[in-house]
Amino acid sequence: MTVAASTSASLLLAVPAAVVGAACMGLASAAQERATKEVAVTRILDPGLLRGLVRRPLWLIGMVATGAGLALQLIALAFAPLLVVQPLLITSLIFAGVFSARLERRAPDAVMVVGSLTCVAGLASFLLLARPSGDVDLLATTPQPFPLAIALILLTLLGLGVSVVAHGSVRVLGLAVATGVLYGMTAGLMKIVAVQARADLTEPFRNWALYLVCLVGPLGFLLSQNTFQQGRFLTPALAVITALDPLVGVGIGVWWMGETANTSPAALAGEAVAGAVIIVGIVLLSGRATKLSRQSGELLGKEPREQGAGRLGGDG
């Protein structure tokens, strides 16, 4: 089989796996977000939140969807570079918006849909402009991984710090930043594990990447549940997570795994424009969420107190 035929066969497996995996992750986010609103609010990174959620059938459905999405993501990453898989995985933002609207028995908000499509378009453009080249199986042996590792740790700590000192939508965005970074790190590490497992199923157990996934992945997941619980609406926070996840994955692919990206002046200019589009989408979503939260609060204030007392809400 020629190299071109082998690559085509790999993409025929990786692309559907990534798209269906994105749908599963969208369903998982919508189900988990709704379930977190049904339990008591906890401190950030408090495992007690999971004890309350595990008794919620909707959350368990979300967990099954998460497992299926991660398995499909792992398959896609085993047969294609991060720079190919991640643009497809970001469509989970659209799937999440649709599933969230269905679970709440409402029509999708038009502005939220436009904001989601804007984010997805910007992210896809950014990643596709990078033009993936190569799929190196080994980690870089130069000191290159260390600056990126330090930057990711600092960004995670910054997000957590903001979530501690801030309130309302700013707190939710801080949580979303930390979650997105940890999710991106998990995706990059899963790529390493997938490549190792493709060569030998026992190989991941002899290397550190699998065990780091077992640490970083659960932390990111717990933070995501905190993020969903604190936010009034799913889409704005998920947009930040969905934006950071593939961008961190690209950084890991290039800096840690030797994948190459297009860094020509024209490509960099296009990537800057795409980044601006992402920001516009997030601002659009956040602004719309704030407006809807305010309207919801005004309507709630007009209801009898005994009817409104049991409502759960928040900023986001």
Side-chain angles (χ1 to χ4, degrees), residues 264-283:
S264 68
L268 291 175
E271 290 162 10
V273 172
V277 171
I278 296 170
I279 294 173
V280 168
I282 292 174
V283 169

Side-chain angles (χ1 to χ4, degrees), residues 79-228:
F79 290 92
L82 280 166
L83 296 178
V84 170
V85 175
Q86 292 290 42
L88 300 173
L89 293 177
I90 60 177
T91 58
S92 63
L93 178 62
I94 298 175
F95 288 115
V98 172
F99 285 124
S100 181
R102 294 294 297 173
L103 288 174
E104 295 179 8
R105 295 185 176 87
R106 59 173 174 80
D109 182 78
V111 178
M112 289 283 197
V113 171
V114 171
S116 298
L117 291 173
T118 301
C119 286
V120 169
L123 282 163
S125 299
F126 182 95
L127 296 171
L128 292 175
L129 280 170
R131 289 215 310 263
S133 176
D135 189 7
V136 178
D137 291 351
L138 299 175
L139 286 172
T141 56
T142 67
Q144 281 185 323
F146 295 103
L148 179 60
I150 293 171
L152 294 178
I153 291 172
L154 290 177
L155 188 56
T156 302
L157 293 176
L158 177 63
L160 289 175
V162 169
S163 70
V164 171
V165 301
H167 300 280
S169 59
V170 176
R171 184 183 192 186
V172 175
L173 291 179
L175 287 169
V177 166
T179 301
V181 173
L182 292 179
Y183 271 13
M185 292 175 63
T186 301
L189 292 167
M190 283 177 62
K191 170 63 176 177
I192 298 170
V193 172
V195 169
Q196 292 170 347
R198 189 178 175 187
D200 182 354
L201 289 177
T202 64
E203 182 65 21
F205 297 96
R206 296 193 292 268
N207 291 276
W208 56 267
L210 175 62
Y211 303 103
L212 195 53
V213 166
C214 293
L215 173 64
V216 175
L219 283 177
F221 176 75
L222 182 54
L223 267 181
S224 73
Q225 305 307 292
N226 290 133
T227 306
F228 294 156

